[in-house]
Amino acid sequence: MSASAIVMMIVTIAIVWGGLVAGVLYLRNHPDDPTDDDS
């Protein structure tokens, strides 16, 4: 693989994992409390 392909792969992996970590931290700070409005 060329250097540019490796850099783009690392950036893409960082974006995906960064979004996953951000989602986990958001849900940890703002838990999604389920409410039973339908039943």
Side-chain angles (χ1 to χ4, degrees), residues 34-39:
T35 56
D36 293 330
D37 291 337
D38 295 335
S39 50

Side-chain angles (χ1 to χ4, degrees), residues 14-31:
I15 289 172
V16 169
W17 281 101
L20 179 66
V21 170
V24 167
L25 290 177
Y26 176 79
L27 285 176
R28 186 183 263 182
N29 292 331
H30 304 91

Side-chain angles (χ1 to χ4, degrees), residues 2-24:
S2 63
S4 63
I6 294 173
V7 170
M8 286 173 52
M9 182 178 68
I10 291 172
V11 168
T12 304
I13 290 171
I15 289 172
V16 169
W17 281 101
L20 179 66
V21 170
V24 167

